[in-house]
Amino acid sequence: MRDVAVVSYAQTPFVRSERARNEVEMLMPVIDEVVEKSGIERRKIGFTCSGSTDYLAGQSFSFVMAVDAVGAWPPICESHVEMDGAWALYEAWVKIQCGEVDSALVFSFGRSSMGETAETMTLQTDPYTLAPLGPDAISMAALQARAGLDRGLWSEREMAEVAVRSRRDALRNPEAQLKGEFDVDEILAEPYLVSPLRKHDCPPVSDGAAAAVIAAADVARQACEKPVWIRGIEHRLDSHQPGSRDLTLSPSTKAAGEAAGASSGRLDIAELHAPFSHQEIILKQALGLSDSVKINPSGGALAANPILTAGLARIGEASRQIVAGNGRRALAHATSGPCLQQNLVCILEGD
Amino acid sequence: MSEESTAVTKLVTPVRVSYTYTPGVATGKFLRGIRRGKIIGQACDSCGRVYVPPRGACPRCASPTSQEVELAHKGTIITFCVVRVPSENIDAELPYCAASILLDGADITLFGLIQECKFDEVRIGMRVEAVWKPESEWEYNLANIVHYRPIEEPDVPYEQIKEYS
């Protein structure tokens, strides 16, 4: 295995609605910044991979237009995943492992605000039996939350505590969207949005873009003062059919975490992509995280959840924490699909 | 045959997703121009190439395209084809001539229909001009230009336009 590091990360502030700029205009400054910070000349970056979905823009091949922000002339080696940017980073990591390239630019972007996110996400369900029924993303998460509540695995108060802590931590993150001091009792007194979920249990609708540059050890060492090493990165998935799963567990997160080496050393920080409050509790259990692990210092997906960018942002935020000296070893997690169906775990370490 | 042994061969699952589209800064300026009967492109800050409709970035340089350029309503046919099969997306009488047109001052071609001439006279390098809908019908839409028609100007030699073909 080649040692590969995150050498730079940049993102837009995540906002409720990026009305003024289109995707290219949103991406261009982020890509400029991440390339500049990487210390690697743009033309020398061997591979570019993006993660996005045309469903957010409502425009086929919208990702092709985004390549305008990269400067793809003369033609570059480029790829795209219709997945979170965390999986684009995985593809880039594999490309470096194969020895084909020594560095890669990874980015993801999206303006969720242009559509009805909860309904758009329905389209990722099985197209023959589930999608026609139209269960929206919030209702599906509510089924999962209910299953855990009824089994006594968590309480509505514990869910509210996750939300309060996330939005309090987000106060220290200038790029987070939804932040502030909230009171558990007060938010528990609010009505249900989709029972048993209240508004605070759900992520905000967010627009934004993020980018990272990763590189093999020799390039990373030369280019960057504080490379953040990817010690393991793995992804696994559970059944596409939520009815065939125990929704209170996340076996795919557990398997990905074990394969990535989550338990092979003490973790200081975990950036978990848990769009709904109860999902943080499921992930924490699946990954066996102790209470000493600081969870989502960035505020996590409850503070900003740009679709298909929030996962890459977890890797970015975890690496920022390591660069800032707030920890030496971190776990970053990304999820996709209804009710935590697909999960990626990335273990990051400073020198 | 019993119902159980009949293969399911067709399933209709209607899907509808609605969007509120916002075009961004560069394309927004272009659409506002089109609404007023103007064709507004943008030039790359670094190489000067002019894009229309602009998206805000030069795909070659990844530089912003911050300089606005008002383009002529005349241009040159870069390539074309005569279409004899119907398409759901194009409301034109068959056959029609679809062309890739380089407006004077632009470095990227626009798609348009060629009319008011015989199709066997259409050729690469031919000069054309935009024919607009009546002003009262202008919208934020490139369809304000209904088609292009030939003008009495000498053809542009291929050597001068081969970069765009």
Side-chain angles (χ1 to χ4, degrees):
Chain A
M1 294 287 262
R2 301 178 83 187
D3 282 338
V4 176
V6 177
V7 294
S8 61
Y9 172 76
Q11 63 166 75
T12 60
F14 295 149
V15 295
R16 173 62 182 82
S17 177
E18 176 63 75
R19 276 189 201 284
R21 297 185 295 177
N22 65 31
E23 286 75 1
V24 173
E25 291 163 339
M26 209 162 71
L27 269 169
M28 215 173 6
V30 173
I31 289 175
D32 281 350
E33 184 186 339
V34 83
V35 171
E36 168 82 30
K37 276 193 198 161
S38 76
I40 305 171
E41 206 184 308
R42 189 184 285 248
R43 302 287 163 204
K44 290 198 173 152
I45 294 177
F47 180 56
T48 298
C49 193
S50 59
S52 69
T53 173
D54 291 350
Y55 281 107
L56 290 188
Q59 201 173 22
S60 54
F61 291 96
S62 61
F63 68 92
V64 176
M65 297 188 195
V67 178
D68 283 4
V70 177
W73 187 266
I76 57 169
C77 179
E78 186 264 340
S79 180
H80 174 261
V81 295
E82 192 85 2
M83 304 171 90
D84 190 290
W87 277 266
L89 188 140
Y90 179 81
E91 181 177 331
W93 179 84
V94 170
K95 195 99 170 161
I96 294 175
Q97 289 304 333
C98 291
E100 287 184 37
V101 295
D102 296 326
S103 58
L105 165 67
V106 174
F107 66 90
S108 57
F109 60 95
R111 291 194 288 161
S112 307
S113 65
M114 292 203 294
E116 292 296 329
T117 313
E119 289 168 25
T120 306
M121 298 306 279
T122 302
L123 303 177
Q124 70 182 333
T125 52
D126 143 41
Y128 307 108
T129 57
L130 261 183
L133 300 176
D136 68 83
I138 300 173
S139 304
M140 302 239 293
L143 293 170
Q144 184 180 38
R146 170 64 66 206
L149 286 169
D150 282 8
R151 216 177 284 175
L153 298 173
W154 53 77
S155 65
E156 291 183 27
R157 176 165 291 273
E158 283 168 323
M159 288 162 58
E161 283 166 357
V162 168
V164 166
R165 194 208 69 235
S166 298
R167 283 152 190 166
R168 181 185 298 132
D169 286 343
L171 285 167
R172 289 194 304 274
N173 178 357
E175 287 162 335
Q177 174 189 348
L178 185 52
K179 47 185 132 182
E181 286 289 351
F182 297 92
D183 179 75
V184 171
D185 289 312
E186 275 176 31
I187 62 175
L188 280 173
E190 285 174 18
Y192 289 122
L193 182 68
V194 178
S195 163
L197 299 178
R198 296 179 176 84
K199 201 175 170 193
H200 66 252
D201 295 306
C202 306
V205 173
S206 315
D207 292 355
V213 171
I214 63 171
D218 41 350
V219 176
R221 287 253 179 247
Q222 210 171 16
C224 170
E225 210 171 295
K226 288 182 176 174
V228 176
W229 302 102
I230 299 171
R231 294 303 186 206
I233 180 166
E234 295 282 343
H235 65 99
R236 299 287 187 271
L237 51 87
D238 288 303
S239 166
H240 199 174
Q241 170 55 262
S244 68
R245 293 166 47 194
D246 178 343
L247 295 177
T248 64
L249 302 172
S250 185
S252 57
T253 299
K254 187 169 188 283
E258 282 168 2
S263 58
S264 62
R266 194 178 71 87
L267 285 165
D268 302 308
I269 294 154
E271 277 285 340
L272 305 179
H273 184 194
F276 296 90
S277 60
H278 65 277
Q279 293 178 343
E280 182 184 298
I281 299 167
I282 297 174
L283 292 171
K284 199 178 159 189
Q285 188 266 342
L287 292 163
L289 301 180
S290 72
D291 287 337
S292 69
V293 182
K294 172 72 185 162
I295 293 181
N296 289 350
S298 68
L302 284 169
N305 189 40
I307 308 287
L308 299 200
T309 298
L312 179 61
R314 303 281 69 72
I315 297 175
E317 292 287 3
S319 56
R320 276 175 165 178
Q321 291 289 329
I322 292 172
V323 170
N326 296 333
R328 204 189 75 79
R329 192 161 183 271
L331 180 151
H333 159 267
T335 195
S336 181
C339 305
L340 303 173
Q341 186 219 341
Q342 184 174 11
N343 296 282
L344 177 147
V345 173
C346 177
I347 304 298
L348 297 161
E349 254 180 35
D351 272 321
Chain B
M1 266 196 301
S2 70
E3 199 185 329
E4 282 72 23
S5 61
T6 311
V8 176
T9 56
K10 191 174 181 183
L11 181 68
V12 179
T13 58
V15 165
R16 186 172 175 79
V17 197
S18 57
Y19 296 90
T20 305
Y21 174 71
T22 52
V25 180
T27 314
K29 284 179 178 165
F30 169 80
L31 291 172
R32 275 193 286 273
I34 283 290
R35 175 72 182 75
R36 293 179 283 121
K38 293 179 188 298
I39 307 172
I40 309 287
Q42 285 190 356
C44 171
D45 294 1
S46 143
C47 73
R49 280 189 179 78
V50 174
Y51 296 97
V52 60
R55 293 258 303 155
C58 173
R60 288 182 177 233
C61 309
S63 297
T65 53
S66 42
Q67 189 200 338
E68 278 181 41
V69 180
E70 186 174 346
L71 295 164
H73 296 196
K74 296 196 295 187
T76 305
I77 294 179
I78 300 300
T79 186
F80 68 96
C81 65
V82 178
V83 182
R84 297 170 196 281
V85 290
S87 160
E88 269 182 33
N89 303 321
I90 294 172
D91 186 23
E93 218 172 284
L94 290 176
Y96 61 84
C97 178
S100 184
I101 297 155
L102 185 70
L103 293 177
D104 295 353
D107 287 291
I108 192 169
T109 59
L110 281 176
F111 173 79
L113 300 180
I114 305 298
Q115 285 182 14
E116 302 185 41
C117 70
K118 287 187 184 136
F119 294 153
D120 59 5
E121 288 169 6
V122 176
R123 59 203 177 269
I124 290 174
M126 189 183 201
R127 298 284 292 155
V128 292
E129 68 178 3
V131 177
W132 291 68
K133 284 181 182 172
E135 190 174 341
S136 60
E137 293 172 28
W138 287 349
E139 294 173 29
Y140 296 102
N141 195 324
L142 195 50
N144 289 355
I145 296 173
V146 278
H147 62 259
Y148 293 79
R149 68 182 167 210
I151 48 175
E152 290 297 325
E153 283 186 19
D155 284 11
V156 177
Y158 177 70
E159 282 303 309
Q160 288 178 27
I161 52 172
K162 68 178 181 186
E163 187 193 339
Y164 303 100
S165 61

